[in-house]
Amino acid sequence: MSGHDSKYFSTTKKGEIPELKEELNSQYKDKRKDAVKKVIAAMTVGKDVSSLFTDVVNCMQTENLELKKLVYLYLINYAKSQPDLAILAVNTFVKDSQDPNPLIRALAVRTMGCIRVDKITEYLCDPLQKCLKDDDPYVRKTAAICVAKLFDINAELVEDKGFLEALKDLISDNNPMVVANAVAALAEIQENSTSPIFEINSTILTKLLTALNECTEWGQVFILDALSRYKAADPREAENIVERVTPRLQHANCAVVLSAVKMILQQMELITSTDVIRNLCKKMAPPLVTLLSAEPEIQYVALRNINLIVQKRPTILAHEIKVFFCKYNDPIYVKMEKLEIMIKLASDRNIDQVLLEFKEYATEVDVDFVRKAVRAIGRCAIKLERAAERCISVLLELIKIKVNYVVQEAIIVIKDIFRRYPNTYESIIATLCESLDTLDEPEAKASMIWIIGEYAERIDNADELLESFLESFPEEPAQVQLQLLTATVKLFLKKPTEGPQQMIQVVLNNATVETDNPDLRDRAYIYWRLLSTDPEAAKDVVLAEKPVITDDSNQLEPSLLDELLTNISTLSSVYHKPPEAFVTRLKTTVQKTEDEDFAEGSEAGYSSGNPVDSAASPPATMGNVAHPAGRQPAPAPAVPAPVPDLLGDLMGLDNAAIVPVDEPTAPSGPSLPVVVPASTGQGLQISAQLTRRDGQVFYSMLFENNSQAVLDGFMIQFNKNTFGLAAAGPLQIPPLQPGTSARTMLPMVLFQNLSTAPPSSVLQVAVKNNQQPVWYFSDKIILHALFGEDGRMERGTFLETWRSLPDSNEVQKEFPEITIASVESTIDLLTAFNMFFIAKRKNGNQDVIYLSSKVPRDVPFLIELTAMVGQPGLKCAVKTPTPEIAPLFFEAVELLFKA
């Protein structure tokens, strides 16, 4: 659509859909084209124009390329919701894939690949096979990407039809863009496949290196990323590869530069010649420096990558530390990252320059940046022994400025310097003590107290200094209290005179009698017993020689660093986390309508069963069972003769997980509704229900094995549903022996698996194991299991919200068979399920109760119940911003009162 088409986004017409329908069927081409533009505009702003599907599809039969593109765009958007009607377009797709115009051929194949409907996929194979061998390179490169899309929809089909071999043949194509797209498609397929599909050998390597010089910048990125996974046979081959790739370092595109750096770093691991490595380090420095002249966002990404690179190869930028000096207009996130890199690059040769910079930064206005700069000075002191004295001099100069947060941060880092160089710089303690009165941050106080306690024998008035802190001991944070306790014990052991003796009594009394902190109390008791039984042993423990701390500039483990370096120029290198830490790869199946897709039974979306000792979710235990009405009851009685897990008990883990030695886990607690009877499940009976416990939604399940076989490898998958409920972790069920059963509480997450269908309480579930077919069943979403603990409203807020919602948002239903025994018992029942009492009143001989509740995403439910106590009949009115889910609420109310 051109820049003059904004008019299509505004309309004052009434009955817009019928008028569009009429225009789409007009005999005039221009009118039909304008109508399609209006449909696309409406679709873009979120209006539902799926009812025009047939009329829009009829406009496909046109020679006008712009109109065809618009119709294809509409098809991609609505084909999944109208799969049967989408078949109408197949003949046009097939016909367009043989059109003389290569743009139309490519457009047809691209669109068919984007329509994730199984029925269309069947028709895609023949046109795709032809397009992979098309005379026009534009069509071939589009078809290459389409194979990757088809693999994502139906992997078996791609393998059976030989598309993978056709893709591999395209690597030998004479057009570099076709080669690049083939590489991109194969790499994508390889990531989603467990078997080796795309392996680079010496022949493919030569072809890729040849194509590298001629394809577009993003094509170069695909090829470089593929090459970075290639292991050279010997140092000579690695040098040759690097020589061919080095020119990419001069590219204007940052992604190409970083991909080239990644590839070169990988090959450098195999190169043995120090001269070659030195030259490569020199060549990589200028392009990395150039990245820092880009926009701040790109600078940040570059800095995060450089942070990794200098940890592995600090010589690359050893002479370029000046480029990391912060500019006055750098955003704070760039400044922070530059500071980190400067610490890593600091050496005896450049430390004077670095300290001057850090000192300058310590006078800036941004408090967080100033703190980081002061801490950086301390880290440099710990890292470089010969520069430690200069670093301390700078810190002392900063303390003299008397800026509170600078002084406190300086004291924190000086404590670390004392730990790194014990008995070396004690002469500065007097200067530090001058700032005692200004300390108000826990970490700074704790650091100063540690210094006083550690060097108590050299500080004449150490007892007076510590006493000034003791006055506020009960109000101090735990960190300060712990340090005060230890420092006072050190003082007593070093100067066992009357003053410290009285202090130790006060501190030990405060730390054992007056505190609720178990850590503090336990430590105080240990000191007390040590001092009362064997003071010499206490000296050996408390005054023992401490290990010298080391520089933490290279925080990453070598194995993690190597993994991150293979992911340079990806999000992984920005987060400094491996991909699996923040990306969950789900192998998808053929996309159908929601029910068909769900019934396919693929392992893709299942939460798999793992050993029971995993901590990912509450294990299958006897105690973790749900009340039928969706609430967790009191724990089941203990089973005799358990083997206690002392470590688990110590760590505060669930004691219900204790299992008797000689007994299988036996189910206990209230029964759950049976969703798969044993007669249907080949001996496996499944009972399940949604429940809420401690503010978290769980799916409570009971598995009973009445078959003759051991059942294991349990997995679960939830179909798309109104609240997007999905498993938050794996299904924790141990192997079930014949005649045994197991319960589990499966944690659930919301809004991850949302259905676009009208709201429904149906929850479709599939469960499988290694020995049986997939079992499908439908359960109900119990709405009160989703009601949050934060649903209580003030009376004024309730009234204001009720008035603010239009009358059309109020939905009513009568329950002629429900009888309430009393108003109080009704309120108690509903409060137990997070429906909170607001007010009550009399209306003639009827009682009216007002309550509030809230479902996730802060959607309030304002409830009005009207009934005559002891008489059948309950009228329920609910007002909510989302009245379409009111029927689910009425189902929940009926279930509660009939339970």
Side-chain angles (χ1 to χ4, degrees):
M1 297 171 82
S2 69
H4 302 291
D5 292 334
S6 58
K7 62 188 178 192
Y8 298 112
F9 285 86
S10 59
T11 178
T12 54
K13 293 179 184 177
K14 293 182 179 177
E16 192 178 0
I17 297 292
E19 291 188 18
L20 284 173
K21 196 178 189 81
E22 187 182 327
E23 289 176 28
L24 286 167
N25 292 300
S26 169
Q27 58 182 327
Y28 302 110
K29 288 182 182 179
D30 289 343
K31 207 166 186 179
R32 286 204 303 272
K33 184 176 170 183
D34 281 355
V36 172
K37 285 187 176 183
K38 287 176 188 173
V39 169
I40 297 296
M43 183 181 85
T44 306
V45 296
K47 292 180 184 174
D48 183 7
V49 284
S50 57
S51 57
L52 299 170
F53 195 94
T54 311
D55 306 286
V56 175
V57 168
N58 288 337
C59 296
M60 282 178 74
Q61 308 285 351
T62 177
E63 298 300 316
N64 186 306
L65 186 57
E66 185 186 6
L67 180 56
K68 197 177 281 286
K69 281 182 178 179
L70 291 170
V71 174
Y72 279 3
L73 187 64
Y74 177 90
L75 272 172
I76 291 169
N77 198 48
Y78 283 116
K80 191 172 180 189
S81 60
Q82 307 269 4
D84 295 326
L85 292 176
I87 296 296
L88 300 173
V90 164
N91 287 336
T92 309
F93 280 134
V94 174
K95 182 182 166 190
D96 283 354
S97 68
Q98 298 165 356
D99 195 275
N101 186 339
L103 290 176
I104 291 178
R105 295 202 298 276
L107 184 64
V109 173
R110 179 191 291 127
T111 308
M112 286 178 82
C114 289
I115 297 175
R116 303 172 68 85
V117 175
D118 189 37
K119 293 171 184 174
I120 285 192
T121 307
E122 297 166 13
Y123 295 96
L124 172 62
C125 296
D126 290 339
L128 183 56
Q129 279 177 331
K130 289 176 185 171
C131 288
L132 284 167
K133 294 173 182 171
D134 199 280
D135 294 334
D136 193 281
Y138 181 77
V139 180
R140 293 200 299 277
K141 84 177 182 70
T142 306
I145 296 297
C146 191
V147 173
K149 290 179 181 175
L150 184 59
F151 185 89
D152 195 42
I153 300 168
N154 192 334
E156 286 181 18
L157 184 68
V158 169
E159 291 172 14
D160 294 344
K161 295 284 186 180
F163 286 127
L164 293 178
E165 296 308 315
L167 260 188
K168 290 173 186 174
D169 291 342
L170 288 183
I171 291 176
S172 307
D173 199 278
N174 55 9
N175 185 288
M177 264 320 295
V178 176
V179 176
N181 278 23
V183 168
L186 284 167
E188 180 74 21
I189 290 168
Q190 181 64 75
E191 281 185 8
N192 293 316
S193 174
T194 51
S195 56
I197 287 172
F198 180 41
E199 293 181 329
I200 300 175
N201 54 33
S202 54
T203 312
I204 293 175
L205 176 71
T206 308
K207 291 170 182 171
L208 294 185
L209 288 170
T210 305
L212 186 62
N213 297 321
E214 301 171 37
C215 60
T216 65
E217 50 197 14
W218 294 111
Q220 291 179 35
V221 170
F222 292 136
I223 292 174
L224 287 167
D225 285 347
L227 288 174
S228 67
R229 289 189 283 272
Y230 175 71
K231 299 287 181 194
D234 53 55
R236 182 69 194 144
E237 186 184 22
E239 287 178 33
N240 289 338
I241 295 169
V242 167
E243 194 177 334
R244 299 278 294 274
V245 170
T246 305
R248 301 300 105 211
L249 293 172
Q250 313 305 321
H251 204 284
N253 187 309
C254 305
V256 176
V257 173
L258 284 173
S259 291
V261 168
K262 170 170 67 176
M263 195 266 165
I264 292 169
L265 284 171
Q266 295 302 312
Q267 299 303 332
M268 279 171 73
E269 294 297 308
L270 298 164
I271 297 173
T272 52
S273 168
T274 52
D275 290 340
V276 173
I277 288 175
R278 195 183 305 115
N279 286 333
L280 286 173
C281 289
K282 282 181 184 174
K283 287 179 181 176
M284 278 194 281
L288 288 173
V289 168
T290 305
L291 293 177
L292 300 181
S293 57
E295 298 85 355
E297 293 79 9
I298 292 176
Q299 276 188 58
Y300 179 73
V301 172
L303 287 165
R304 293 292 282 173
N305 282 274
I306 289 168
N307 195 325
L308 297 173
I309 293 164
V310 296
Q311 287 184 52
K312 185 75 175 177
R313 304 269 180 188
T315 52
I316 293 177
L317 292 162
H319 301 290
E320 304 288 348
I321 196 164
K322 280 189 177 179
V323 301
F324 299 104
F325 288 176
C326 300
K327 300 183 180 128
Y328 75 95
N329 59 348
D330 278 342
I332 186 65
Y333 55 88
V334 171
K335 286 181 175 179
M336 294 292 201
E337 206 54 43
K338 283 183 173 179
L339 267 184
E340 279 296 322
I341 295 169
M342 285 166 70
I343 297 166
K344 289 179 172 64
L345 294 179
S347 64
D348 292 327
R349 191 177 58 255
N350 59 27
I351 188 64
D352 289 329
Q353 281 179 302
V354 171
L355 286 176
L356 277 172
E357 280 293 307
F358 288 167
K359 188 178 174 184
E360 187 70 28
Y361 303 157
T363 60
E364 294 257 355
V365 290
D366 190 296
V367 176
D368 288 336
F369 182 53
V370 170
R371 288 179 183 277
K372 187 101 174 177
V374 175
R375 201 157 284 211
I377 297 169
R379 285 174 62 185
C380 287
I382 293 166
K383 179 183 176 183
L384 306 168
E385 188 171 351
R386 281 189 280 183
E389 198 164 339
R390 279 172 281 175
C391 295
I392 286 175
S393 299
V394 174
L395 288 170
L396 290 174
E397 287 175 36
L398 292 173
I399 287 173
K400 287 173 186 170
I401 297 171
K402 299 288 183 187
V403 176
N404 195 15
Y405 54 86
V406 176
V407 172
Q408 303 204 67
E409 201 67 35
I411 286 171
I412 293 166
V413 298
I414 286 171
K415 182 260 292 181
D416 288 337
I417 294 170
F418 281 176
R419 290 186 61 195
R420 174 71 178 85
Y421 308 108
N423 306 314
T424 310
Y425 299 108
E426 291 73 29
S427 57
I428 67 168
I429 292 175
T431 310
L432 301 182
C433 291
E434 292 170 11
S435 306
L436 269 181
D437 297 338
T438 62
L439 303 183
D440 55 15
E441 292 173 15
E443 195 178 357
K445 278 186 180 180
S447 298
M448 193 68 228
I449 293 164
W450 181 89
I451 292 169
I452 295 168
E454 190 68 17
Y455 297 101
E457 74 279 13
R458 303 184 193 185
I459 303 172
D460 296 334
N461 61 338
D463 50 347
E464 292 174 20
L465 296 176
L466 283 180
E467 205 162 3
S468 64
F469 288 105
L470 288 179
E471 292 165 6
S472 58
F473 184 92
E475 291 80 41
E476 295 290 358
Q479 182 181 8
V480 177
Q481 289 179 333
L482 285 164
Q483 205 57 258
L484 260 175
L485 172 62
T486 305
T488 310
V489 173
K490 285 179 183 174
L491 174 66
F492 173 71
L493 291 171
K494 290 177 179 182
K495 293 181 176 179
T497 56
E498 189 179 341
Q501 210 160 3
Q502 289 175 346
M503 284 171 63
I504 196 76
Q505 287 295 334
V506 173
V507 170
L508 289 174
N509 185 61
N510 274 330
T512 53
V513 180
E514 307 292 333
T515 183
D516 295 327
N517 185 330
D519 290 340
L520 180 64
R521 195 166 54 240
D522 289 353
R523 188 185 292 190
Y525 276 127
I526 290 169
Y527 285 154
W528 201 326
R529 284 167 192 158
L530 270 172
L531 292 169
S532 58
T533 54
D534 189 350
E536 289 305 315
K539 277 188 181 181
D540 292 340
V541 172
V542 180
L543 304 179
E545 192 173 328
K546 295 161 191 65
V548 172
I549 63 168
T550 53
D551 168 39
D552 68 340
S553 297
N554 297 337
Q555 303 98 330
L556 297 176
E557 292 287 325
S559 56
L560 175 59
L561 180 60
D562 288 339
E563 185 179 355
L564 294 177
L565 286 169
T566 63
N567 288 294
I568 278 181
S569 80
T570 67
L571 266 182
S572 181
S573 65
V574 177
Y575 289 160
H576 286 189
K577 292 180 181 177
E580 58 272 15
F582 59 92
V583 174
T584 305
R585 289 194 187 283
L586 290 178
K587 181 75 177 67
T588 54
T589 55
V590 181
Q591 297 291 314
K592 304 182 179 182
T593 61
E594 287 176 9
D595 291 346
E596 288 175 327
D597 177 41
F598 177 68
E600 192 67 29
S602 157
E603 293 187 11
Y606 283 97
S607 292
S608 61
N610 285 324
V612 187
D613 59 359
S614 167
S617 65
T621 67
M622 300 170 298
N624 291 345
V625 293
H627 190 277
R631 269 284 173 177
Q632 186 69 12
V639 183
V643 177
D645 176 1
L646 294 177
L647 181 61
D649 190 42
L650 183 66
M651 299 304 289
L653 301 179
D654 190 357
N655 287 332
I658 298 172
V659 179
V661 177
D662 300 319
E663 297 181 33
T665 305
S668 65
S671 60
L672 297 169
V674 175
V675 288
V676 177
S679 56
T680 307
Q682 297 178 7
L684 172 66
Q685 180 163 300
I686 305 173
S687 308
Q689 188 175 56
L690 275 178
T691 182
R692 187 177 191 88
R693 191 176 91 179
D694 299 330
Q696 161 80 41
V697 180
F698 291 91
Y699 198 46
S700 181
M701 303 186 79
L702 169 65
F703 291 80
E704 298 175 72
N705 182 6
N706 300 309
S707 71
Q708 300 303 309
V710 178
L711 303 180
D712 61 11
F714 283 91
M715 305 165 80
I716 191 165
Q717 183 182 11
F718 294 85
N719 195 12
K720 293 180 179 177
N721 54 79
T722 298
F723 290 95
L725 283 160
L731 184 60
Q732 304 283 346
I733 295 294
L736 278 184
Q737 301 295 329
T740 63
S741 58
R743 283 181 182 265
T744 187
M745 295 282 281
L746 179 67
M748 304 290 284
V749 290
L750 292 139
F751 307 116
Q752 283 203 4
N753 205 14
L754 280 168
S755 167
T756 53
S760 165
S761 63
V762 175
L763 179 65
Q764 294 178 319
V765 189
V767 172
K768 66 170 288 186
N769 58 60
N770 290 339
Q771 289 73 31
Q772 295 180 323
V774 181
W775 302 120
Y776 299 96
F777 60 88
S778 288
D779 200 356
K780 275 201 176 295
I781 297 174
I782 304 173
L783 194 65
H784 53 258
L786 307 183
F787 284 157
E789 286 72 11
D790 59 344
R792 190 185 300 275
M793 281 186 182
E794 294 297 325
R795 189 175 297 196
T797 310
F798 182 92
L799 285 168
E800 191 179 323
T801 310
W802 186 283
R803 290 179 189 134
S804 68
L805 291 170
D807 291 342
S808 57
N809 281 37
E810 183 175 342
V811 188
Q812 298 183 356
K813 185 171 181 180
E814 294 193 9
F815 302 95
E817 296 175 3
I818 292 177
T819 305
I820 67 169
S822 72
V823 171
E824 287 71 24
S825 63
T826 302
I827 292 170
D828 291 344
L829 170 69
L830 297 176
T831 303
F833 294 94
N834 294 334
M835 284 177 266
F836 300 102
F837 173 69
I838 302 293
K840 62 180 179 178
R841 64 181 177 88
K842 280 280 188 183
N843 182 18
N845 58 354
Q846 291 185 315
D847 287 283
V848 184
I849 309 170
Y850 296 94
L851 306 107
S852 70
S853 63
K854 192 182 285 185
V855 293
R857 293 193 170 167
D858 288 335
V859 177
F861 274 71
L862 311 183
I863 306 155
E864 181 187 74
L865 298 180
T866 306
M868 191 185 302
V869 174
Q871 297 295 317
L874 172 71
K875 180 181 175 184
C876 179
V878 63
K879 213 170 190 185
T880 174
T882 53
E884 60 273 11
I885 60 174
L888 278 69
F889 174 78
F890 295 136
E891 285 182 27
V893 168
E894 191 168 18
L895 182 67
L896 279 177
F897 280 102
K898 288 185 176 179

